[in-house]
Amino acid sequence: GQNIDQPTEMTATEGAIVQINCTYQTSGFNGLFWYQQHAGEAPTFLSYNVLDGLEEKGRFSSFLSRSKGYSYLLLKELQMKDSASYLCAAETDSWGKLQFGAGTQVVVTP
Amino acid sequence: ETGVTQTPRHLVMGMTNKKSLKCEQHLGHNAMYWYKQSAKKPLELMFVYSLEERVENNSVPSRFSPECPNSSHLFLHLHTLQPEDSALYLCASSQDRGAGYEQYFGPGTRLTVT
């Protein structure tokens, strides 16, 4: 079966760092996507990891360990606008089929 | 218009009604997708179209019927829905169908079945 696990909710203060973990167990695996979804809006692409290691993109970084079936999204210097749901999605075949987690709601407080 | 647009944004329909959801992408992409997003649940892939051909149907009930008349437009025809079909329906597109292609999502249609 396919299983993508991520925490339901995380709270952090403005300026802090938050790490959202995602573990996956899928019958096939090609790569790992992270999307951001603000309430009532479309999910938007944040990152894609296909090789092990850390990919940094401004305040956001994403890490992948294929052997451990594990990824995390690191949000640094949190801003109020970062309050959103963060979706982890495993690419389960070479055709790009995505299996999504239920999302992690990040709440940034002043 | 840019990106992926969806209409209507909100829809309330009775169980005996017939309605259609529309998606349009202005990105020149070749693949389009329908997803269902229920509260606190993962996005569920419903259908995939590549170059206007349906290439994936994820065991979706026949009361949902997709149509892709060209590479820019995607429809989801709805009939005799059930209350449990109430959800956010998201359309997405990608340059092509294949590994590593980022999917661009529309804002969704919030469907309520009464």
Side-chain angles (χ1 to χ4, degrees):
Chain A
Q2 319 275 46
N3 201 36
I4 315 290
D5 285 320
Q6 51 181 130
T8 304
E9 185 171 318
M10 302 182 75
T11 301
T13 53
E14 217 172 351
I17 298 174
V18 70
Q19 177 175 313
I20 307 169
N21 296 324
C22 171
T23 57
Y24 60 88
Q25 290 177 297
T26 56
S27 53
F29 181 79
N30 204 75
L32 198 291
F33 282 91
W34 284 96
Y35 283 85
Q36 180 191 58
Q37 186 178 23
H38 285 100
E41 296 184 15
T44 54
F45 169 80
L46 288 178
S47 67
Y48 175 64
N49 293 67
V50 64
L51 300 176
D52 283 359
L54 188 68
E55 297 267 351
E56 296 187 79
K57 197 186 289 187
R59 295 188 299 113
F60 292 5
S61 303
S62 56
F63 172 84
L64 177 66
S65 168
R66 297 174 72 105
S67 61
K68 295 181 179 177
Y70 167 69
S71 173
Y72 68 73
L73 180 69
L74 194 68
L75 285 61
K76 294 179 275 191
E77 300 168 23
L78 277 173
Q79 302 176 9
M80 297 300 290
K81 67 179 182 180
D82 298 328
S83 291
S85 183
Y86 291 84
L87 311 177
C88 170
E91 196 172 48
T92 59
D93 63 24
S94 59
W95 290 109
K97 184 174 181 177
L98 297 182
Q99 187 76 31
F100 280 85
T104 298
Q105 184 66 44
V106 170
V107 178
V108 181
T109 59
Chain B
E1 290 273 22
T2 57
V4 181
T5 58
Q6 290 186 243
T7 54
R9 293 295 308 275
H10 299 272
L11 178 63
V12 179
M13 60 186 288
M15 291 167 61
T16 57
N17 290 160
K18 287 186 181 181
K19 296 284 184 185
S20 296
L21 310 185
K22 179 182 175 182
C23 174
E24 186 172 357
Q25 57 97 359
H26 309 267
L27 301 167
H29 287 171
N30 293 319
M32 296 188 78
Y33 311 78
W34 278 117
Y35 286 91
K36 176 183 179 182
Q37 187 175 35
S38 303
K40 308 296 184 187
K41 289 187 177 179
L43 267 74
E44 300 172 47
L45 179 64
M46 299 175 74
F47 302 103
V48 181
Y49 277 82
S50 177
L51 297 171
E52 301 152 44
E53 179 186 346
R54 190 193 311 179
V55 293
E56 186 132 3
N57 176 342
N58 259 14
S59 304
V60 180
S62 59
R63 57 186 184 268
F64 295 91
S65 174
E67 179 190 1
C68 187
N70 56 60
S71 59
S72 299
H73 293 86
L74 186 64
F75 294 89
L76 188 63
H77 303 301
L78 316 171
H79 64 99
T80 58
L81 294 192
Q82 304 297 311
E84 61 263 29
D85 297 323
S86 297
L88 181 68
Y89 288 85
L90 291 165
C91 172
S93 70
S94 61
Q95 181 64 55
D96 283 296
R97 181 173 173 244
Y101 285 107
E102 168 193 347
Q103 292 183 23
Y104 293 75
F105 286 84
T109 295
R110 173 70 62 188
L111 174 67
T112 303
V113 181
T114 60

